[in-house]
Amino acid sequence: MQLTIYFHAPGPLAIPVHYGTLLQGLIYHQMQNPVLRTYLHEQGFVLEKRRFKLFTFSRLMGRAVRYDRDSGRLIYTPPLKLVICSPIPFILQELGTGFLRQGQVRLGDVRLEVKEMSAASPRVQTQPVRVRMLSPVVVYSTMESQDGRSYTYYYAPFEPRFTELVGANLVKKHLLIHGRPALLDGFSILPAALEERDLKITRYKDIIIKGWMGDYLLQGDPHLLQVALDAGLGAKNSQGYGCCMLLDG
């Protein structure tokens, strides 16, 4: 399921380049139920040694966006919108109620007025499906260097391991959501429209994260592809990565 929130402001807004933590904090702040907010923030849904929050969100989208070198900030021209996805209806219901009650929200030192909201439930009907990333898809492994130090390696969409890790991640999410495994046989994710500029290097708190925007073709078990729409592709979804939308063609 997808919840889209539309914001208004009287004029252009200056927002930090790396605003993911601000958006994440804004989302948690809309959860009026303290039990849900604490559960998702502190724990999440546990599978083996992994924790999944089972929601993801887009980058902030505006009518126009430019980078201002003098301030080192992004200048957004309203109206703005934010897409939040989750396979758990109660999470989106809680968020929708929270945004309506607040009326206005703060993103850092910027105040936004909530103008309207819309909900949608895009469904996987045929395959392959084409999706467009609304926030970068992040796929990585933790490796060990020759001197014994661990480091993070981020995969690009044209590397074979990219498909393998995206598929394995979706299988885990499907098991959490539905309580049964999905078929991984035949799964693939292939770039359909990808440019060099689609590589996005972002900072979440003090961590540098590499991910990719662009369009992708997904093939495989329709139930698995549905999880991609509802819970996101790849890793770090609740930090604002892996949100995608279904394209008609």
Side-chain angles (χ1 to χ4, degrees):
M1 294 181 63
Q2 293 180 350
L3 177 69
T4 303
I5 305 98
Y6 299 87
F7 303 102
H8 178 72
L13 305 167
I15 297 174
V17 172
H18 303 290
Y19 57 80
T21 54
L22 296 178
L23 272 183
Q24 186 187 48
L26 183 152
I27 289 171
Y28 277 119
H29 187 68
Q30 306 314 306
M31 296 181 185
Q32 305 294 302
N33 185 319
V35 175
L36 176 63
R37 183 174 61 247
T38 301
Y39 178 79
L40 288 180
H41 187 269
E42 302 297 333
Q43 179 172 324
F45 303 90
V46 180
L47 180 65
E48 298 171 350
K49 296 181 179 180
R50 299 289 304 278
R51 298 177 185 271
F52 298 84
K53 307 301 177 70
L54 294 183
F55 74 87
T56 187
F57 55 94
S58 70
R59 305 175 90 184
L60 195 60
M61 295 173 277
R63 189 171 62 192
V65 185
R66 65 179 177 86
Y67 176 69
D68 181 66
R69 292 184 180 273
D70 293 334
S71 65
R73 293 193 165 206
L74 296 173
I75 308 301
Y76 276 82
T77 300
L80 310 178
K81 71 175 181 179
L82 173 68
V83 176
I84 306 173
C85 300
S86 177
I88 312 298
F90 181 70
I91 292 177
L92 295 185
Q93 292 168 5
E94 180 74 9
L95 288 172
T97 301
F99 277 109
L100 285 176
R101 286 178 177 172
Q102 293 283 345
Q104 288 188 342
V105 298
R106 182 177 290 277
L107 187 68
D109 55 4
V110 168
R111 189 172 291 276
L112 302 171
E113 180 184 357
V114 179
K115 290 296 291 183
E116 61 179 298
M117 292 188 302
S118 65
S121 297
R123 309 302 300 176
V124 173
Q125 303 289 349
T126 60
Q127 55 172 309
V129 296
R130 181 165 177 154
V131 300
R132 175 165 297 161
M133 301 312 302
L134 301 181
S135 56
V137 52
V138 173
V139 182
Y140 70 95
S141 290
T142 301
M143 299 185 174
E144 188 173 293
S145 62
Q146 292 182 347
D147 60 4
R149 297 183 179 182
S150 62
Y151 67 96
T152 302
Y153 180 84
Y154 290 95
Y155 294 92
F158 44 80
E159 295 182 85
R161 188 103 165 106
F162 186 89
T163 288
E164 180 183 341
L165 291 176
V166 169
N169 178 272
L170 287 175
V171 166
K172 292 177 181 178
K173 292 172 186 170
H174 186 280
L175 182 59
L176 274 174
I177 297 165
H178 300 290
R180 64 181 186 278
L183 295 175
L184 187 55
D185 294 346
F187 174 79
S188 66
I189 173 171
L190 298 173
L194 193 67
E195 301 179 11
E196 186 176 343
R197 65 180 181 178
D198 287 321
L199 171 61
K200 303 300 179 182
I201 301 176
T202 57
R203 181 182 294 113
Y204 178 83
K205 297 182 179 178
D206 294 327
I207 302 173
I208 299 297
I209 298 173
K210 298 179 182 180
W212 291 81
M213 300 294 282
D215 292 3
Y216 299 84
L217 290 176
L218 302 180
Q219 180 87 33
D221 181 353
H223 296 94
L224 204 62
L225 306 189
Q226 188 65 47
V227 172
L229 295 180
D230 293 338
L233 283 166
K236 301 184 183 296
N237 301 137
S238 66
Q239 297 173 14
Y241 298 93
C243 183
C244 61
M245 65 176 289
L246 183 65
L247 298 180
D248 293 333

